[in-house]
Structure formats: structure tokens, C-alpha cells
Amino acid sequence: MKGILLAGGAGTRLHPMTLAASKQMLPVYDKPMVYYPLSTLMLAGIRDILVISTPEDLPQFRRLLGDGGRFGVRFAYAEQKRPEGIAQAFLIGHDWIAGEACALALGDNLIHGDNLSALLRAAAARPQGATVFAYQVRDPERYGVVSFDAAGHVADIVEKPAAPQSNWAVTGLYFYDPTVSDLARTIRPSGRGELEITDLNRLYLEAGTLAVERLSRGCAWLDAGTPDSLLQAATFVQTIQSRTGMLVGCPEEVAFRMGYIDADMLRSHARQLGKTDLGRVLSELAEGGQE
């Protein structure tokens, strides 16, 4: 399976910060925002990743991420000249996807929790259909919302409904089978003028092949797209890391634990980070100091 990391858009909800830098380059505690969804894709076992961003911001991502060798993965890059909806990513990446299964992660989403890697790997291993993840929120009208029937089966999925039928929001992480690129080409712009990811998901729902994994209380999903949510995400990461000593959203750590890089490479990365706490933890991990 391949993966797309969508890191485009103007980030207007974070102006004036995003007048100077891409939203996905802003720090979430001790790491760039884009590291968190990147780590999620890597936890799913995905090593071929297409980074999509604006023509202005793409050089920043090339500078930060390089060819992927640092993390034991392979990066390709593509421009999103105009933000015309999340599903546009599959049109931009159509040739790169080349008829393979593909996951999509939004560049401003952070997911962390127990047994997350197993959930991600199961979604990536599904031979047919699509898998999305749902999370209970207090303001579902801001998101794509999935509702369920009395038997717990998916009943409907609606983009930003005025009267939500449930409080289960669809997170910014999606797994699709090899038909995704062709299906994305059949979608027409919504009233907002965007190619809605919800419309793509609805095609799978209508075909009876949409799976929805409801994230439990042991998981946290944060959308760091506003000043308040950016601060909340940073506080969450700081709290987890300082209290447990475990890292959140660190692709070097994920690469090592997944066997993508060895201890020598991890030591090298730790040295490059100098005397930061992040560098110290990675150095301890390379020396076998953490389980």
C-alpha cells in the first residue's frame, strides 16, 4: 500500500502564523506538525509516500523530509496548485498511485493511542473497500459525520451537517483499495466547489464496502488547524512525553521500532538533534535504554 500526505491549503484559520510558513510546518510542541501524520502512515507499514503541498510550500517539505532515507521510507512530491478538496489528492497522485491501494493522511491531524498500530495495519491489509476512523466530538457539525443503525452498521455519512445524526466525526485518515483513483475521477465538486472526501467515502458506502473503525477512549484525535487546537495538541504531546517518557509522532522512533532503520542510523539522528530532549530519548532508545 502507498500513502499520501496532504499538506496543502492556505491555513487561513491560523493567520498570521501561516503567512510566514506552511501550517503543517508549525511546531506541535517539539516537532513539526507534519511529523505526526507521517508517523501514523509509517505505523501502518507504509513506506512509499507522496507529499502534496502548494507550489510555494513544497520546497520547505523537500528541505525537511528529503528523499525519505532518514526514516527508511521513500518520498515523492507533487503540487496542489489550488485547494479544491481533499479528494483532489487522488487526482493529483493518480499516476503515482498507479493502480495500487492507497491511504491518505491530512497534514494537520494527530492520532495517538493504545493498539493504534494494529488498527492501522488491519486497515492497510483489507483487500477490498475503504476504512475510515471515527471519533466522538462535541461539535460534529464541523466535520464529516458518520451515523449508525440500531445494529451498529454504518447508516450514512454526511459532510458538515447542520443537524448531525451522531457525534461520530470522521478523522483525517483514510484507507482505500486500488479502485480509489478511478472512483475519485467520478466525483463532482460540491456546493462549496470542492471534491469532498465524504463523497468518495459515500461511493464505498453505497457499494457496501465502507468500514468504519470507532476509536475508543484509549485514543486521542486532534485536528491542529486553529490556534486553540494547535495549543491543545502541543499540550497533549508535552504531557504524554513528560509524564511517560514515550515519544508521540516521532518518525525516527517509528522507523527504528518498525525496523526501517537500524541503531546506528538512530544514533546518527540523535546526534544531529544535539542536546534536545528529543535527541536524548532517541539516543537512549538506540542504546536499548527503553522498551
Side-chain angles (χ1 to χ4, degrees):
M1 172 172 273
K2 293 183 174 181
I4 293 178
L5 188 51
L6 184 57
T12 54
R13 292 184 299 167
L14 283 166
H15 280 180
M17 289 182 284
T18 46
L19 293 175
S22 165
K23 171 176 66 174
Q24 293 85 4
M25 284 290 186
L26 296 179
V28 176
Y29 186 50
D30 59 350
K31 295 174 286 293
M33 187 186 298
V34 72
Y35 271 24
Y36 297 89
L38 168 59
S39 296
T40 300
L41 290 176
M42 292 171 61
L43 279 171
I46 295 171
R47 303 182 71 176
D48 283 302
I49 299 170
L50 176 66
V51 180
I52 298 177
S53 189
T54 67
E56 296 78 19
D57 293 332
L58 207 57
Q60 299 179 43
F61 291 98
R62 290 182 183 274
R63 196 159 49 243
L64 174 68
L65 302 173
D67 64 3
R70 175 184 181 89
F71 310 124
V73 301
R74 293 168 292 275
F75 289 124
Y77 297 88
E79 294 183 354
Q80 184 184 38
K81 295 180 180 178
R82 291 175 301 279
E84 296 177 342
I86 296 172
Q88 185 189 27
F90 294 105
L91 304 187
I92 295 171
H94 182 273
D95 292 343
W96 177 83
I97 295 170
E100 295 189 36
C102 189
L104 170 65
L106 301 187
D108 61 357
N109 274 226
L110 185 160
I111 300 177
H112 177 77
D114 299 335
N115 204 35
L116 180 60
S117 182
L119 286 175
L120 299 175
R121 285 170 168 266
R126 283 193 71 205
Q128 183 181 15
T131 302
V132 300
F133 295 84
Y135 191 80
Q136 288 184 296
V137 297
R138 296 176 60 185
D139 50 354
E141 64 278 359
R142 291 180 52 209
Y143 306 98
V145 174
V146 61
S147 56
F148 304 88
D149 61 23
H153 302 131
V154 181
D156 201 2
I157 185 167
V158 182
E159 181 66 21
K160 296 182 173 63
Q165 298 300 302
S166 83
N167 64 346
W168 287 98
V170 178
T171 71
L173 179 64
Y174 318 87
F175 288 77
Y176 297 106
D177 66 15
T179 67
V180 62
S181 291
D182 292 334
L183 286 176
R185 288 185 163 186
T186 70
I187 297 173
R188 296 294 174 259
S190 66
R192 301 192 304 159
E194 296 190 0
L195 298 174
E196 305 286 358
I197 197 71
T198 295
D199 289 341
L200 179 60
N201 293 333
R202 183 180 289 279
L203 293 177
Y204 283 97
L205 174 60
E206 292 170 353
T209 59
L210 177 68
V212 178
E213 290 285 350
R214 286 185 262 194
L215 296 177
S216 69
R217 293 182 179 182
C219 288
W221 170 55
L222 297 166
D223 170 4
T226 68
D228 282 349
S229 60
L230 180 63
L231 177 59
Q232 290 166 5
T235 302
F236 172 82
V237 173
Q238 190 272 339
T239 300
I240 295 294
Q241 292 189 170
S242 64
R243 290 191 177 186
T244 68
M246 296 184 294
L247 295 175
V248 179
C250 179
E252 293 96 341
E253 181 209 22
V254 174
F256 179 68
R257 294 192 184 277
M258 296 288 287
Y260 299 166
I261 63 174
D262 60 20
D264 287 338
M265 289 185 68
L266 188 61
R267 289 189 193 94
S268 175
H269 299 333
R271 287 193 295 270
Q272 292 172 22
L273 292 171
K275 297 181 180 180
T276 64
D277 283 344
L278 184 57
R280 175 185 57 78
V281 174
L282 292 180
S283 180
E284 291 175 355
L285 180 61
E287 300 304 328
Q290 290 188 2
E291 293 298 326

